[in-house]
Amino acid sequence: MAETAGLSLIGKLAATVGASEAALKILLSILLAHPISLFHRYNLYGRNQDLQHVYFAVCGLAIGIFNYGWDIFHTLATVIVVYIILRVAGGTLMSAVITLAFTMGYLLIGYYVTSTETYDIKWTMPECVLTLRLTGLAFDLYDGSKPLESLSAENKKVALTKMPSFLEVLAHSYFPASFLVGPQFSMKRYQDFVSGKFRGSESGLPDCLGAAVSRSLTGVLYLALYQVGYLYFPDNYLVSEDFQALGIIKRLFYMGVWGHIALYKYICIWLLCEGVCIEVGLTYNGVDKDGKTKWDGCANVNLSKFEGATIFTHYIESFNINTNHWVAQYIYKRLKFLGNKHLSQLGVLLFLAVWHGLHSGYYMCFFLEFVCLVMERDLQAMLTRNKAVLEFLSRPGVSHLTWILLKLYTLVFMGYCMAPFVLLSVHKWFTAFFNTFFIGHAVWMGWHAYRPLVKILLPPAKESVS
Protein backbone atom coordinates (compact mmCIF):
# COMPACT_ATOMS: atom_id res chain seq x y z
CA MET A 1 0.00 0.00 0.00
CA ALA A 2 2.83 2.38 0.85
CA GLU A 3 4.26 1.98 -2.67
CA THR A 4 1.06 3.28 -4.30
CA ALA A 5 0.03 5.83 -1.67
CA GLY A 6 1.40 8.83 -3.57
CA LEU A 7 0.18 7.71 -6.98
CA SER A 8 -2.82 8.99 -8.95
CA LEU A 9 -5.80 6.72 -9.54
CA ILE A 10 -4.43 5.75 -12.96
CA GLY A 11 -0.98 5.22 -11.41
CA LYS A 12 -2.46 2.88 -8.80
CA LEU A 13 -4.36 0.97 -11.48
CA ALA A 14 -1.19 0.73 -13.58
CA ALA A 15 0.77 -0.62 -10.59
CA THR A 16 -1.97 -3.20 -10.00
CA VAL A 17 -1.82 -4.59 -13.56
CA GLY A 18 1.98 -4.33 -13.75
CA ALA A 19 2.14 -1.60 -16.38
CA SER A 20 3.53 1.93 -16.40
CA GLU A 21 1.14 4.83 -15.94
CA ALA A 22 2.12 6.26 -19.34
CA ALA A 23 1.38 2.94 -21.09
CA LEU A 24 -1.99 2.61 -19.35
CA LYS A 25 -2.91 6.16 -20.38
CA ILE A 26 -2.29 5.26 -24.02
CA LEU A 27 -4.53 2.21 -23.70
CA LEU A 28 -7.25 4.30 -22.02
CA SER A 29 -6.89 6.91 -24.78
CA ILE A 30 -7.56 4.27 -27.43
CA LEU A 31 -10.67 3.21 -25.48
CA LEU A 32 -11.76 6.86 -25.25
CA ALA A 33 -11.44 7.12 -29.03
CA HIS A 34 -14.35 4.66 -29.41
CA PRO A 35 -17.08 6.97 -28.03
CA ILE A 36 -15.44 9.86 -29.89
CA SER A 37 -15.70 7.88 -33.13
CA LEU A 38 -19.25 6.71 -32.48
CA PHE A 39 -20.42 10.26 -31.74
CA HIS A 40 -18.92 11.40 -35.04
CA ARG A 41 -20.44 8.48 -36.88
CA TYR A 42 -24.00 9.17 -35.76
CA ASN A 43 -23.92 12.97 -35.51
CA LEU A 44 -21.24 14.45 -37.79
CA TYR A 45 -20.40 12.02 -40.60
CA GLY A 46 -20.91 13.59 -44.02
CA ARG A 47 -21.96 16.95 -42.55
CA ASN A 48 -20.21 20.33 -42.28
CA GLN A 49 -16.53 19.67 -42.86
CA ASP A 50 -15.21 22.54 -40.74
CA LEU A 51 -17.25 21.26 -37.81
CA GLN A 52 -15.68 17.82 -38.28
CA HIS A 53 -12.19 19.36 -38.40
CA VAL A 54 -12.79 21.23 -35.14
CA TYR A 55 -14.21 18.12 -33.49
CA PHE A 56 -11.24 15.93 -34.38
CA ALA A 57 -8.65 18.59 -33.53
CA VAL A 58 -10.15 19.38 -30.12
CA CYS A 59 -10.63 15.72 -29.19
CA GLY A 60 -7.10 14.84 -30.30
CA LEU A 61 -5.56 17.71 -28.37
CA ALA A 62 -7.58 16.76 -25.28
CA ILE A 63 -6.25 13.20 -25.51
CA GLY A 64 -2.74 14.60 -25.92
CA ILE A 65 -3.08 16.76 -22.79
CA PHE A 66 -4.47 13.77 -20.87
CA ASN A 67 -1.33 11.80 -21.74
CA TYR A 68 1.44 14.40 -21.66
CA GLY A 69 0.07 17.53 -20.04
CA TRP A 70 1.28 20.82 -21.50
CA ASP A 71 4.22 19.08 -23.17
CA ILE A 72 1.80 18.19 -25.95
CA PHE A 73 2.08 21.78 -27.16
CA HIS A 74 5.44 20.85 -28.66
CA THR A 75 3.36 19.07 -31.30
CA LEU A 76 1.14 22.12 -31.77
CA ALA A 77 4.18 24.32 -32.27
CA THR A 78 5.41 21.87 -34.90
CA VAL A 79 2.08 21.96 -36.74
CA ILE A 80 1.98 25.78 -36.74
CA VAL A 81 5.56 26.17 -38.04
CA VAL A 82 5.06 23.58 -40.78
CA TYR A 83 1.78 25.18 -41.82
CA ILE A 84 3.54 28.54 -42.19
CA ILE A 85 6.31 26.89 -44.24
CA LEU A 86 3.78 25.25 -46.55
CA ARG A 87 1.61 28.35 -46.80
CA VAL A 88 4.65 30.41 -47.86
CA ALA A 89 6.50 27.90 -50.04
CA GLY A 90 4.23 24.84 -50.35
CA GLY A 91 4.38 22.90 -53.59
CA THR A 92 8.14 23.22 -53.96
CA LEU A 93 10.86 20.69 -53.32
CA MET A 94 12.50 23.19 -50.98
CA SER A 95 9.39 23.33 -48.76
CA ALA A 96 9.36 19.53 -48.49
CA VAL A 97 13.06 19.40 -47.59
CA ILE A 98 12.70 22.21 -45.02
CA THR A 99 9.69 20.46 -43.48
CA LEU A 100 11.58 17.18 -43.20
CA ALA A 101 14.62 18.92 -41.71
CA PHE A 102 12.57 20.93 -39.22
CA THR A 103 10.35 18.09 -38.00
CA MET A 104 13.24 15.64 -37.71
CA GLY A 105 15.39 18.26 -35.99
CA TYR A 106 12.66 19.10 -33.47
CA LEU A 107 12.10 15.40 -32.83
CA LEU A 108 15.80 14.69 -32.29
CA ILE A 109 16.13 17.61 -29.88
CA GLY A 110 13.15 16.19 -28.02
CA TYR A 111 14.82 12.77 -27.87
CA TYR A 112 18.03 14.32 -26.59
CA VAL A 113 16.31 16.33 -23.86
CA THR A 114 13.98 13.58 -22.61
CA SER A 115 15.94 10.38 -23.27
CA THR A 116 16.90 7.86 -20.57
CA GLU A 117 18.41 4.36 -20.79
CA THR A 118 14.98 2.81 -21.33
CA TYR A 119 12.15 3.36 -23.80
CA ASP A 120 10.42 6.61 -22.89
CA ILE A 121 6.68 7.19 -23.37
CA LYS A 122 6.73 10.97 -23.55
CA TRP A 123 5.58 13.72 -25.89
CA THR A 124 8.18 12.56 -28.39
CA MET A 125 5.94 9.57 -29.21
CA PRO A 126 3.15 11.61 -30.91
CA GLU A 127 5.86 13.95 -32.24
CA CYS A 128 7.37 10.90 -33.93
CA VAL A 129 4.05 10.12 -35.65
CA LEU A 130 3.57 13.79 -36.55
CA THR A 131 7.00 14.00 -38.20
CA LEU A 132 5.96 11.52 -40.87
CA ARG A 133 2.47 12.95 -41.24
CA LEU A 134 3.60 16.53 -41.85
CA THR A 135 6.52 15.52 -44.05
CA GLY A 136 4.16 13.39 -46.13
CA LEU A 137 1.84 16.39 -46.46
CA ALA A 138 4.71 18.55 -47.72
CA PHE A 139 5.74 15.98 -50.34
CA ASP A 140 2.12 15.46 -51.43
CA LEU A 141 1.85 19.20 -52.12
CA TYR A 142 5.13 19.06 -54.02
CA ASP A 143 3.89 16.12 -56.10
CA GLY A 144 0.63 17.97 -56.73
CA SER A 145 2.55 20.80 -58.37
CA LYS A 146 4.08 18.46 -60.96
CA PRO A 147 2.47 17.22 -64.20
CA LEU A 148 0.09 14.34 -63.46
CA GLU A 149 1.73 12.07 -66.04
CA SER A 150 5.08 12.35 -64.25
CA LEU A 151 3.72 10.81 -61.04
CA SER A 152 3.63 7.15 -60.07
CA ALA A 153 0.28 5.45 -59.49
CA GLU A 154 0.75 5.70 -55.73
CA ASN A 155 1.67 9.37 -55.81
CA LYS A 156 -1.35 10.17 -57.97
CA LYS A 157 -3.61 8.83 -55.22
CA VAL A 158 -2.29 11.23 -52.57
CA ALA A 159 -0.97 14.25 -54.48
CA LEU A 160 -2.53 17.59 -53.45
CA THR A 161 -3.06 20.41 -55.91
CA LYS A 162 -4.39 22.79 -53.26
CA MET A 163 -3.02 23.78 -49.85
CA PRO A 164 -5.32 22.45 -47.07
CA SER A 165 -6.76 24.89 -44.57
CA PHE A 166 -5.24 25.24 -41.11
CA LEU A 167 -8.27 23.44 -39.63
CA GLU A 168 -7.71 20.51 -42.00
CA VAL A 169 -4.04 20.28 -41.05
CA LEU A 170 -4.91 20.41 -37.33
CA ALA A 171 -7.57 17.71 -37.64
CA HIS A 172 -5.36 15.50 -39.80
CA SER A 173 -2.51 15.90 -37.31
CA TYR A 174 -4.58 15.27 -34.17
CA PHE A 175 -6.97 12.64 -35.52
CA PRO A 176 -7.94 10.94 -32.21
CA ALA A 177 -7.65 7.33 -33.38
CA SER A 178 -4.12 7.71 -34.73
CA PHE A 179 -2.53 10.77 -33.15
CA LEU A 180 -0.58 8.93 -30.43
CA VAL A 181 0.82 5.83 -32.18
CA GLY A 182 -0.47 5.85 -35.76
CA PRO A 183 -1.44 4.50 -38.21
CA GLN A 184 -0.24 6.89 -40.88
CA PHE A 185 -2.67 8.04 -43.55
CA SER A 186 -2.53 10.77 -46.14
CA MET A 187 -4.27 14.13 -46.13
CA LYS A 188 -6.10 13.01 -49.29
CA ARG A 189 -7.59 10.04 -47.44
CA TYR A 190 -8.66 12.32 -44.61
CA GLN A 191 -10.28 14.78 -47.03
CA ASP A 192 -12.17 12.01 -48.80
CA PHE A 193 -13.32 10.70 -45.43
CA VAL A 194 -14.71 13.99 -44.08
CA SER A 195 -16.42 14.68 -47.42
CA GLY A 196 -18.46 11.51 -46.91
CA LYS A 197 -16.99 9.40 -49.72
CA PHE A 198 -16.21 6.36 -47.54
CA ARG A 199 -19.69 4.99 -47.02
CA GLY A 200 -19.24 1.54 -48.51
CA SER A 201 -22.80 1.81 -49.84
CA GLU A 202 -24.87 4.23 -51.86
CA SER A 203 -26.51 5.82 -48.84
CA GLY A 204 -26.47 5.82 -45.06
CA LEU A 205 -23.52 5.37 -42.74
CA PRO A 206 -20.38 3.30 -43.46
CA ASP A 207 -21.08 -0.42 -42.91
CA CYS A 208 -17.89 -0.86 -40.92
CA LEU A 209 -18.92 -1.71 -37.35
CA GLY A 210 -18.58 -5.48 -37.80
CA ALA A 211 -15.04 -5.14 -39.17
CA ALA A 212 -14.18 -2.69 -36.36
CA VAL A 213 -15.36 -5.06 -33.61
CA SER A 214 -13.46 -7.97 -35.18
CA ARG A 215 -10.19 -6.04 -35.41
CA SER A 216 -10.55 -4.60 -31.90
CA LEU A 217 -11.22 -8.03 -30.36
CA THR A 218 -8.17 -9.39 -32.15
CA GLY A 219 -6.21 -6.54 -30.57
CA VAL A 220 -7.53 -7.52 -27.14
CA LEU A 221 -6.42 -11.12 -27.78
CA TYR A 222 -2.89 -10.00 -28.67
CA LEU A 223 -2.83 -7.72 -25.64
CA ALA A 224 -3.66 -10.71 -23.45
CA LEU A 225 -0.98 -12.82 -25.16
CA TYR A 226 1.56 -10.08 -24.57
CA GLN A 227 0.64 -9.64 -20.91
CA VAL A 228 0.91 -13.39 -20.22
CA GLY A 229 4.10 -13.76 -22.24
CA TYR A 230 5.71 -10.77 -20.53
CA LEU A 231 5.36 -12.51 -17.16
CA TYR A 232 7.82 -15.16 -18.37
CA PHE A 233 9.87 -13.14 -20.88
CA PRO A 234 10.20 -9.51 -19.68
CA ASP A 235 12.24 -6.95 -21.62
CA ASN A 236 15.47 -7.62 -19.70
CA TYR A 237 15.19 -11.41 -19.93
CA LEU A 238 18.12 -11.73 -22.38
CA VAL A 239 20.50 -10.18 -19.84
CA SER A 240 19.15 -12.07 -16.83
CA GLU A 241 20.89 -14.82 -14.88
CA ASP A 242 18.07 -17.23 -15.79
CA PHE A 243 18.85 -16.77 -19.50
CA GLN A 244 22.60 -17.15 -19.01
CA ALA A 245 22.04 -20.42 -17.11
CA LEU A 246 20.44 -22.06 -20.18
CA GLY A 247 22.24 -24.14 -22.80
CA ILE A 248 22.91 -22.45 -26.12
CA ILE A 249 20.05 -24.22 -27.96
CA LYS A 250 17.52 -23.13 -25.35
CA ARG A 251 18.98 -19.63 -25.31
CA LEU A 252 18.45 -19.26 -29.05
CA PHE A 253 14.92 -20.68 -28.95
CA TYR A 254 13.89 -18.59 -25.96
CA MET A 255 15.41 -15.52 -27.61
CA GLY A 256 13.04 -16.14 -30.52
CA VAL A 257 10.03 -16.54 -28.25
CA TRP A 258 11.07 -13.41 -26.33
CA GLY A 259 11.33 -11.43 -29.57
CA HIS A 260 7.92 -12.61 -30.75
CA ILE A 261 6.32 -11.53 -27.48
CA ALA A 262 8.09 -8.17 -27.67
CA LEU A 263 6.50 -7.62 -31.09
CA TYR A 264 3.05 -8.41 -29.68
CA LYS A 265 3.27 -5.17 -27.68
CA TYR A 266 3.22 -3.21 -30.92
CA ILE A 267 0.76 -5.48 -32.70
CA CYS A 268 -1.91 -5.24 -30.01
CA ILE A 269 -1.78 -1.43 -29.95
CA TRP A 270 -1.88 -1.20 -33.75
CA LEU A 271 -4.87 -3.54 -33.92
CA LEU A 272 -6.74 -1.59 -31.26
CA CYS A 273 -6.04 1.72 -33.04
CA GLU A 274 -7.01 0.24 -36.38
CA GLY A 275 -10.29 -0.93 -34.86
CA VAL A 276 -11.13 2.69 -33.97
CA CYS A 277 -10.10 3.89 -37.45
CA ILE A 278 -12.40 1.29 -39.00
CA GLU A 279 -15.21 2.24 -36.63
CA VAL A 280 -15.09 5.89 -37.63
CA GLY A 281 -15.04 4.89 -41.32
CA LEU A 282 -11.56 6.16 -42.27
CA THR A 283 -10.20 2.86 -43.59
CA TYR A 284 -12.46 2.35 -46.64
CA ASN A 285 -10.48 0.58 -49.35
CA GLY A 286 -12.95 -0.17 -52.13
CA VAL A 287 -14.56 -3.55 -52.66
CA ASP A 288 -13.16 -7.04 -53.21
CA LYS A 289 -13.87 -9.38 -56.14
CA ASP A 290 -17.10 -10.50 -54.48
CA GLY A 291 -18.36 -6.94 -54.11
CA LYS A 292 -17.79 -6.86 -50.36
CA THR A 293 -16.55 -3.58 -48.88
CA LYS A 294 -12.95 -3.64 -47.64
CA TRP A 295 -12.04 -1.73 -44.48
CA ASP A 296 -8.30 -2.39 -44.48
CA GLY A 297 -7.07 0.96 -45.82
CA CYS A 298 -5.07 1.66 -42.64
CA ALA A 299 -4.04 -1.90 -41.75
CA ASN A 300 -0.67 -1.88 -40.01
CA VAL A 301 -0.11 -5.61 -39.63
CA ASN A 302 -0.92 -8.69 -41.75
CA LEU A 303 -1.38 -11.31 -39.05
CA SER A 304 -1.43 -14.41 -41.26
CA LYS A 305 1.79 -13.43 -43.01
CA PHE A 306 3.41 -12.36 -39.73
CA GLU A 307 2.59 -15.55 -37.84
CA GLY A 308 3.44 -17.74 -40.83
CA ALA A 309 6.69 -15.96 -41.76
CA THR A 310 9.43 -18.24 -43.07
CA ILE A 311 11.70 -15.54 -44.47
CA PHE A 312 12.56 -12.11 -43.11
CA THR A 313 10.90 -10.41 -46.07
CA HIS A 314 7.59 -11.74 -44.73
CA TYR A 315 8.19 -9.83 -41.50
CA ILE A 316 9.02 -6.65 -43.39
CA GLU A 317 5.87 -6.96 -45.52
CA SER A 318 3.55 -7.81 -42.61
CA PHE A 319 4.77 -5.60 -39.75
CA ASN A 320 4.31 -1.82 -39.39
CA ILE A 321 2.87 -1.75 -42.91
CA ASN A 322 1.91 1.93 -42.97
CA THR A 323 5.32 3.16 -41.87
CA ASN A 324 7.04 0.86 -44.36
CA HIS A 325 4.75 2.13 -47.10
CA TRP A 326 5.50 5.72 -46.05
CA VAL A 327 9.28 5.32 -46.21
CA ALA A 328 9.00 3.47 -49.52
CA GLN A 329 6.97 6.29 -51.05
CA TYR A 330 8.66 9.33 -49.52
CA ILE A 331 12.24 8.18 -48.88
CA TYR A 332 13.24 5.05 -50.84
CA LYS A 333 11.81 6.08 -54.22
CA ARG A 334 13.27 9.57 -53.83
CA LEU A 335 16.77 8.15 -53.35
CA LYS A 336 16.87 6.88 -56.93
CA PHE A 337 19.58 9.42 -57.68
CA LEU A 338 21.99 7.23 -55.67
CA GLY A 339 21.83 4.73 -58.51
CA ASN A 340 22.04 1.68 -56.25
CA LYS A 341 19.22 -0.25 -54.56
CA HIS A 342 21.41 -1.29 -51.64
CA LEU A 343 22.39 2.34 -50.98
CA SER A 344 18.73 3.40 -51.17
CA GLN A 345 17.76 0.63 -48.76
CA LEU A 346 20.58 1.59 -46.42
CA GLY A 347 19.40 5.20 -46.57
CA VAL A 348 15.87 4.13 -45.61
CA LEU A 349 17.09 2.05 -42.67
CA LEU A 350 19.32 4.90 -41.48
CA PHE A 351 16.33 7.24 -41.67
CA LEU A 352 14.21 4.79 -39.64
CA ALA A 353 16.93 4.42 -37.02
CA VAL A 354 17.28 8.20 -36.60
CA TRP A 355 13.49 8.59 -36.58
CA HIS A 356 13.18 6.07 -33.73
CA GLY A 357 15.71 7.85 -31.53
CA LEU A 358 19.30 8.27 -30.37
CA HIS A 359 19.77 4.91 -28.64
CA SER A 360 22.50 2.73 -30.17
CA GLY A 361 20.13 -0.25 -30.18
CA TYR A 362 18.04 1.24 -32.98
CA TYR A 363 21.06 1.61 -35.25
CA MET A 364 22.27 -1.93 -34.55
CA CYS A 365 18.78 -3.34 -35.15
CA PHE A 366 18.37 -1.71 -38.56
CA PHE A 367 21.95 -2.57 -39.52
CA LEU A 368 21.20 -6.22 -38.79
CA GLU A 369 18.04 -5.97 -40.87
CA PHE A 370 20.10 -4.66 -43.78
CA VAL A 371 22.79 -7.38 -43.73
CA CYS A 372 20.13 -10.05 -43.13
CA LEU A 373 18.10 -9.01 -46.17
CA VAL A 374 21.20 -8.76 -48.37
CA MET A 375 22.08 -12.37 -47.57
CA GLU A 376 18.48 -13.62 -47.82
CA ARG A 377 17.82 -12.07 -51.23
CA ASP A 378 21.16 -13.23 -52.60
CA LEU A 379 20.52 -16.78 -51.41
CA GLN A 380 16.98 -16.75 -52.79
CA ALA A 381 18.32 -15.71 -56.19
CA MET A 382 20.74 -18.66 -56.14
CA LEU A 383 17.95 -21.08 -55.22
CA THR A 384 15.66 -19.71 -57.92
CA ARG A 385 18.30 -20.45 -60.57
CA ASN A 386 18.75 -24.06 -59.39
CA LYS A 387 15.73 -26.08 -60.52
CA ALA A 388 17.00 -29.37 -59.12
CA VAL A 389 17.17 -28.02 -55.57
CA LEU A 390 13.77 -26.34 -55.90
CA GLU A 391 12.19 -29.59 -57.09
CA PHE A 392 13.80 -31.48 -54.20
CA LEU A 393 12.59 -28.95 -51.64
CA SER A 394 9.04 -29.14 -53.00
CA ARG A 395 8.76 -32.92 -52.48
CA PRO A 396 6.21 -34.20 -49.93
CA GLY A 397 7.83 -34.48 -46.52
CA VAL A 398 10.84 -32.42 -47.55
CA SER A 399 8.69 -29.30 -48.01
CA HIS A 400 7.22 -29.75 -44.52
CA LEU A 401 10.66 -30.18 -42.97
CA THR A 402 11.92 -27.14 -44.89
CA TRP A 403 9.01 -25.09 -43.57
CA ILE A 404 9.77 -26.10 -39.98
CA LEU A 405 13.45 -25.26 -40.34
CA LEU A 406 12.72 -21.89 -41.95
CA LYS A 407 10.13 -21.13 -39.29
CA LEU A 408 12.68 -21.84 -36.55
CA TYR A 409 15.26 -19.73 -38.39
CA THR A 410 12.99 -16.70 -38.67
CA LEU A 411 11.72 -17.09 -35.11
CA VAL A 412 15.19 -17.26 -33.57
CA PHE A 413 16.83 -14.60 -35.68
CA MET A 414 13.93 -12.15 -35.45
CA GLY A 415 14.48 -12.33 -31.70
CA TYR A 416 18.17 -11.68 -32.36
CA CYS A 417 17.30 -8.58 -34.43
CA MET A 418 14.86 -7.37 -31.79
CA ALA A 419 17.39 -7.60 -28.96
CA PRO A 420 19.04 -4.18 -29.53
CA PHE A 421 15.70 -2.57 -30.44
CA VAL A 422 14.22 -3.50 -27.06
CA LEU A 423 17.33 -3.36 -24.84
CA LEU A 424 18.54 -0.07 -26.41
CA SER A 425 21.72 0.43 -24.32
CA VAL A 426 24.94 -0.94 -25.79
CA HIS A 427 26.00 -2.77 -22.63
CA LYS A 428 22.67 -4.61 -22.59
CA TRP A 429 22.41 -5.66 -26.22
CA PHE A 430 26.11 -6.49 -26.37
CA THR A 431 25.57 -8.84 -23.41
CA ALA A 432 22.60 -10.46 -25.16
CA PHE A 433 24.69 -11.04 -28.31
CA PHE A 434 27.62 -12.30 -26.22
CA ASN A 435 25.28 -14.81 -24.56
CA THR A 436 24.38 -16.17 -27.99
CA PHE A 437 27.94 -16.08 -29.41
CA PHE A 438 27.06 -13.30 -31.90
CA ILE A 439 25.49 -15.96 -34.09
CA GLY A 440 23.44 -13.50 -36.17
CA HIS A 441 26.48 -11.36 -36.93
CA ALA A 442 28.42 -14.48 -37.93
CA VAL A 443 25.68 -15.75 -40.26
CA TRP A 444 24.84 -12.46 -41.96
CA MET A 445 28.09 -10.49 -41.89
CA GLY A 446 30.05 -13.60 -42.78
CA TRP A 447 27.89 -14.25 -45.85
CA HIS A 448 30.40 -12.95 -48.38
CA ALA A 449 33.09 -15.18 -46.83
CA TYR A 450 31.15 -18.42 -47.34
CA ARG A 451 29.07 -17.31 -50.33
CA PRO A 452 31.51 -18.85 -52.88
CA LEU A 453 30.99 -22.28 -51.26
CA VAL A 454 27.21 -21.87 -51.37
CA LYS A 455 27.47 -20.83 -55.02
CA ILE A 456 29.35 -24.04 -55.80
CA LEU A 457 26.69 -26.10 -54.01
CA LEU A 458 23.87 -24.24 -55.79
CA PRO A 459 25.04 -23.79 -59.38
CA PRO A 460 22.55 -22.24 -61.82
CA ALA A 461 20.64 -24.70 -64.00
CA LYS A 462 22.20 -25.25 -67.39
CA GLU A 463 20.07 -24.17 -70.31
CA SER A 464 19.12 -27.05 -72.58
CA VAL A 465 20.42 -26.85 -76.14
CA SER A 466 17.87 -27.88 -78.79
Side-chain angles (χ1 to χ4, degrees), residues 148-384:
L148 187 63
E149 60 273 12
S150 68
L151 302 178
S152 67
E154 285 296 317
N155 288 345
K156 287 177 183 177
K157 293 178 183 178
V158 297
L160 298 170
T161 57
K162 180 182 176 183
M163 176 68 193
S165 69
F166 183 64
L167 271 180
E168 283 181 293
V169 175
L170 269 182
H172 179 232
S173 300
Y174 289 103
F175 196 75
S178 68
F179 164 57
L180 294 178
V181 295
Q184 292 293 338
F185 57 92
S186 68
M187 172 61 80
K188 188 68 168 63
R189 171 173 287 276
Y190 174 75
Q191 290 175 332
D192 288 344
F193 162 67
V194 294
S195 66
K197 292 182 180 179
F198 290 171
R199 297 183 184 274
S201 59
E202 292 299 323
S203 61
L205 295 172
D207 54 346
C208 54
L209 291 187
V213 171
S214 175
R215 205 63 169 170
S216 295
L217 289 178
T218 305
V220 172
L221 172 62
Y222 271 84
L223 177 60
L225 290 173
Y226 170 72
Q227 286 297 112
V228 173
Y230 190 82
L231 294 175
Y232 299 95
F233 299 98
D235 285 349
N236 287 326
Y237 177 72
L238 298 186
V239 293
S240 68
E241 292 182 359
D242 289 341
F243 183 74
Q244 294 176 29
L246 299 172
I248 183 59
I249 300 300
K250 281 190 175 181
R251 284 187 213 173
L252 291 173
F253 181 74
Y254 284 176
M255 173 182 268
V257 175
W258 170 88
H260 217 65
I261 291 168
L263 290 173
Y264 281 177
K265 173 172 63 178
Y266 303 96
I267 289 175
C268 70
I269 293 297
W270 290 337
L271 290 171
L272 292 171
C273 287
E274 187 189 343
V276 182
C277 289
I278 296 172
E279 182 179 75
V280 79
L282 177 72
T283 65
Y284 178 77
N285 201 24
V287 296
D288 61 20
K289 60 181 179 180
D290 299 318
K292 186 178 179 181
T293 304
K294 297 188 295 181
W295 295 102
D296 59 354
C298 294
N300 216 19
V301 59
N302 183 326
L303 291 175
S304 59
K305 181 173 283 191
F306 173 81
E307 297 293 0
T310 52
I311 56 176
F312 270 80
T313 302
H314 290 162
Y315 281 124
I316 304 301
E317 293 172 348
S318 66
F319 188 81
N320 208 359
I321 294 171
N322 282 286
T323 299
N324 290 337
H325 178 76
W326 190 97
V327 295
Q329 186 166 351
Y330 296 108
I331 304 298
Y332 180 80
K333 292 179 181 178
R334 297 172 198 269
L335 292 177
K336 283 183 179 179
F337 66 89
L338 295 175
N340 184 290
K341 288 185 177 181
H342 287 323
L343 287 178
S344 296
Q345 185 185 4
L346 195 59
V348 163
L349 294 175
L350 179 60
F351 172 85
L352 285 172
V354 173
W355 176 64
H356 276 89
L358 302 176
H359 293 291
S360 61
Y362 294 133
Y363 298 84
M364 177 53 69
C365 173
F366 287 109
F367 169 74
L368 289 176
E369 180 183 325
F370 175 74
V371 293
C372 165
L373 291 176
V374 168
M375 188 207 81
E376 182 177 282
R377 289 166 181 168
D378 199 8
L379 182 57
Q380 279 183 305
M382 289 184 186
L383 285 168
T384 302

Side-chain angles (χ1 to χ4, degrees), residues 387-406:
K387 295 181 180 179
V389 172
L390 289 178
E391 289 175 0
F392 174 76
L393 294 176
S394 64
R395 291 179 182 176
V398 176
S399 61
H400 293 89
L401 178 60
T402 302
W403 186 90
I404 292 171
L405 292 175
L406 288 175

